[in-house]
């Protein structure tokens, strides 16, 4: 993705903050939709096969209803599936500009697999509808029926293959997407070999959480559409109604049981630099909401009533939104230093455009003596750690050190958090250069 990286101009801190809000909005659209596509397609394939093998019309009807519900229409596939997957790449290209992170490659590969998978999902949906229509046409003994039978069998093969290929591609695509999103808030793994990252337990746990959420949301939305939306669907077949109630409740309940466990296990994998009080708050909200969902599921099962299906759907939806906000906040925390570096580059770029670069000479030594020496020294602990211990960690990178000075974070719990010194970008760069040069001595 280097060619995209070269097209990106340095961004200001305000613009990068706006990009993080836009990232959250895109994830709100993309994750629920791609989740129900996977959950709905898997359920549809399973019950279609069961219905055909057992000649069970209820299973087959349930299979068709599920895929119709989760796909909505072709426009939704483009607006909620294809466009967001491409938009995410463009957002991360700007957020992770010059970072050499593997996130962009993973998201690009994910978009490739998911877009093809989405196309095949809709192929499966419409071929399943055609097969249902063709199966209702009575057989005859004339030659025209033989041609019709060949067409019907061909449509059946297309339906089966498109469904299987779609689920495989979507599983691969969403795994790569989960890996990319996980690595975005794990900068400590960016320098690790990519193949090792892909199969690390941290990413596997995050993906299992995604799958659990996918089936939970799918079951909830099936019940929401059948029993709540616009008064619910009027089912003439009582057997079908009971079947939908039983299977959807079962899928939702079993899948939701794994969510709190996986959230807590995933929490262990989060680097300290990505964690904050906000991420902890969103995790607590998600856990509270999922336990409310358990209470609703229990009431629906005990009372044999689907009147709470609307409440269940919205509780689970808000649970997913909380988890998305948690991930987005962790990305923002993990890229805080990256954003500061880009802001320094932006200020330099802006100064070049204005012709003011180098117009005023700023003394790094003077800034150190006035602003820094009260808390820091080179060879001993004052309020903060000695520079001889901390500055070498930046390997002579002036931009990274000046970015930290502009937006300090607490990296060492043994010392109090560093307050923002209120320097301008050129002042931060001057003092960073001074510190690096003097530590070398």
């Amino acid at each position: 993705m280097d060619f995209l990286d070269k097209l990106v101009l340095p961004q200001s801190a305000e613009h990068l903050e706006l990009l993080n809000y836009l990232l959250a909005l895109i994830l709100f659209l993309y994750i629920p939709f791609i989740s129900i596509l996977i959950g709905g397609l898997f359920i549809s394939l399973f019950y279609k096969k069961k219905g055909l093998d057992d000649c069970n019309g209820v299973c087959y009807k349930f299979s068709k209803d599920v895929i119709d519900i989760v796909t909505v229409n072709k426009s939704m596939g483009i607006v909620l599936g294809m466009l967001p997957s491409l938009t995410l790449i463009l957002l991360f290209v700007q957020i992770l500009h010059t970072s050499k992170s593997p996130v962009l490659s993973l998201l690009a590969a994910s978009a490739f697999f998911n877009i093809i998978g989405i196309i095949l999902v809709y192929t499966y949906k419409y071929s399943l509808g055609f097969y249902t229509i063709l199966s209702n046409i009575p057989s005859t003994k004339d030659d025209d029926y033989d041609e019709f039978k060949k067409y019907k069998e061909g449509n059946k093969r297309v339906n089966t293959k498109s469904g299987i290929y779609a689920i495989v591609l979507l599983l691969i695509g969403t795994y790569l997407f989960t890996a990319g999103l996980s690595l975005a808030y794990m900068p400590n793994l960016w320098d690790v070999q990519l193949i090792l990252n892909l199969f690390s337990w941290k990413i596997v746990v995050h993906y299992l959480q995604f799958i659990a959420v996918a089936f939970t949301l799918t079951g909830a939305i099936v019940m929401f559409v059948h029993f709540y939306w616009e008064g619910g669907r009027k089912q003439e077949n009582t057997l079908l109604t009971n079947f939908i109630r039983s299977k959807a409740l079962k899928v939702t309940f079993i899948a939701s049981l794994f969510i709190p466990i996986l959230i807590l296990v995933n929490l262990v994998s989060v680097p300290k630099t990505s964690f904050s009080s906000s991420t902890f708050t969103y995790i607590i909200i998600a856990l509270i909401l999922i336990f409310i969902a358990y209470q609703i599921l229990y009431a629906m099962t005990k009372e044999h009533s689907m009147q709470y299906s609307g409440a269940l759907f919205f509780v689970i939806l808000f649970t997913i939104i909380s988890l998305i906000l948690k991930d987005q906040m962790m990305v923002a925390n993990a890229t805080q230093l990256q954003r500061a570096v880009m802001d320094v580059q932006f200020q330099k770029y802006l100064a070049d455009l204005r012709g003011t670069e180098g117009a005023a000479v700023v003394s790094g030594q003077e800034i150190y003596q006035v602003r820094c020496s009260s808390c820091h020294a080179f060879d001993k602990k004052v309020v903060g750690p000695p520079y001889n211990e901390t500055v070498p960690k930046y390997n002579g990178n002036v931009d990274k050190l000046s970015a930290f000075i502009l937006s300090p974070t607490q990296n060492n719990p043994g010392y109090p958090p560093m307050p923002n010194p209120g320097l301008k970008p050129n002042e931060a760069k001057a003092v960073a250069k001074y510190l690096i040069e003097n530590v070398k001595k």
Side-chain angles (χ1 to χ4, degrees):
M1 305 302 292
D2 288 343
F3 73 98
L4 283 177
D5 206 33
K6 293 176 181 178
L7 297 176
V8 176
L9 295 175
Q11 307 294 329
S12 67
E14 293 78 10
H15 187 196
L16 291 168
E17 190 71 21
L18 181 61
L19 289 178
N20 275 287
Y21 289 123
L22 185 57
L23 173 63
L25 177 61
I26 297 300
L27 291 175
F28 289 158
L29 299 175
Y30 184 63
I31 290 180
F33 181 73
I34 202 73
S35 297
I36 62 172
L37 274 190
I38 287 182
L41 179 60
F42 187 90
I43 292 171
S44 178
L45 284 169
F46 178 82
Y47 283 103
K48 187 197 81 166
K49 185 177 186 306
K50 188 175 179 62
L52 293 176
D53 291 346
D54 300 342
C55 296
N56 188 328
V58 173
C59 284
Y60 186 84
K61 182 67 169 62
F62 179 63
S63 166
K64 188 175 183 306
D65 282 353
V66 169
I67 199 65
D68 286 341
I69 289 170
V70 300
T71 52
V72 190
N73 55 49
K74 289 182 288 186
S75 299
M76 292 297 102
I78 296 172
V79 173
L80 299 180
M82 298 182 185
L83 292 181
S85 64
L86 297 175
T87 305
L88 286 171
I89 298 172
L90 298 178
L91 288 175
F92 274 105
V93 163
Q94 296 184 81
I95 293 172
L96 301 176
H97 179 51
T98 70
S99 67
K100 305 300 180 183
S101 167
V103 172
L104 296 177
S105 299
L106 290 171
L107 291 179
S110 167
F112 174 78
F113 284 107
N114 283 339
I115 288 173
I116 297 176
I118 290 169
I119 294 171
L120 289 175
V121 168
Y122 283 89
T123 303
Y124 169 80
K125 171 187 177 177
Y126 292 116
S127 60
L128 184 62
F130 287 141
Y131 183 77
T132 304
I133 295 171
L134 297 174
S135 297
N136 291 327
I137 298 177
S139 60
T140 60
K141 295 183 179 180
D142 55 24
D143 294 337
D144 290 337
Y145 182 75
D146 291 337
E147 291 297 322
F148 167 78
K149 189 175 180 181
K150 289 180 182 179
Y151 176 78
K152 178 182 173 183
E153 291 301 317
N155 181 80
K156 183 180 179 181
R157 285 193 297 271
V158 169
N159 178 252
T160 301
K161 290 182 178 180
S162 62
I164 293 173
Y165 291 156
I167 196 68
V168 171
L169 290 173
L170 287 177
L171 288 173
I172 295 172
T174 51
Y175 186 86
L176 294 172
F177 167 75
T178 306
L181 192 60
S182 299
L183 289 177
Y185 60 75
M186 297 179 187
N188 56 310
L189 297 180
W190 289 357
D191 295 329
V192 180
Q193 190 176 359
L194 181 57
I195 192 68
L196 297 177
N197 281 334
L198 276 178
F199 299 102
S200 71
W201 69 270
K202 299 176 181 180
I203 290 176
V204 171
V205 168
H206 196 181
Y207 183 65
L208 291 176
Q209 178 187 306
F210 174 86
I211 294 298
V213 166
F215 280 94
T216 303
L217 182 59
T218 302
I221 201 170
V222 168
M223 289 187 285
F224 175 75
V225 172
H226 271 284
F227 302 106
Y228 183 85
W229 181 253
E230 295 183 346
R233 294 186 176 182
K234 305 300 181 183
Q235 301 287 350
E236 296 180 0
N237 189 333
T238 305
L239 187 62
L240 177 60
T241 302
N242 293 333
F243 185 87
I244 294 171
R245 178 189 298 116
S246 170
K247 300 305 178 184
L249 273 173
K250 185 176 180 181
V251 168
T252 306
F253 179 69
I254 292 175
S256 65
L257 287 176
F258 294 96
I259 294 178
I261 300 170
L262 293 169
I263 288 174
L264 295 175
V265 175
N266 186 41
L267 185 61
V268 179
S269 69
V270 178
K272 292 181 180 179
T273 54
S274 303
F275 198 77
S276 66
S277 58
S278 297
T279 58
F280 183 75
T281 301
Y282 289 127
I283 289 170
I284 294 300
I285 292 173
L287 290 174
I288 291 172
L289 288 171
I290 199 66
F291 282 109
I292 292 174
Y294 292 152
Q295 298 301 316
I296 297 173
L297 284 166
Y298 175 75
M300 291 170 68
T301 304
K302 184 179 180 180
E303 299 176 12
H304 299 285
S305 172
M306 304 304 288
Q307 62 177 323
Y308 304 120
S309 56
L312 176 67
F313 170 73
F314 286 111
V315 167
I316 290 174
L317 184 61
F318 283 117
T319 302
I320 295 171
I321 289 174
S322 298
L323 293 175
I324 292 172
L325 286 171
K326 180 263 296 182
D327 286 344
Q328 186 273 335
M329 185 60 66
M330 288 196 296
V331 171
N333 293 338
T335 57
Q336 188 173 4
L337 181 59
Q338 168 70 16
R339 295 202 308 273
V341 170
M342 290 184 64
D343 188 53
V344 170
Q345 293 173 349
F346 174 77
Q347 298 298 335
K348 183 178 182 300
Y349 174 75
L350 201 60
D352 288 339
L353 289 179
R354 292 172 177 172
T356 58
E357 179 70 15
V361 178
V362 180
S363 171
Q365 183 177 2
E366 289 181 6
I367 296 171
Y368 163 72
Q369 291 172 348
V370 174
R371 298 288 187 92
C372 309
S373 60
S374 59
C375 295
H376 292 278
F378 281 92
D379 56 355
K380 64 180 180 179
K381 173 184 175 181
V382 187
V383 177
Y387 284 132
N388 288 340
E389 290 181 8
T390 57
V391 174
K393 296 178 182 179
Y394 291 89
N395 297 318
N397 191 320
V398 175
D399 285 341
K400 272 196 173 182
L401 180 54
S402 61
F404 176 81
I405 294 170
L406 286 170
S407 182
T409 56
Q410 186 175 17
N411 295 328
N412 191 336
Y415 294 93
M418 175 178 164
N420 194 313
L423 300 178
K424 296 178 181 178
N426 60 332
E427 293 173 335
K429 191 169 184 178
V431 73
K433 187 177 180 181
Y434 169 78
L435 295 177
I436 289 172
E437 289 174 350
N438 280 272
V439 165
K440 286 181 179 179
K441 295 176 182 178

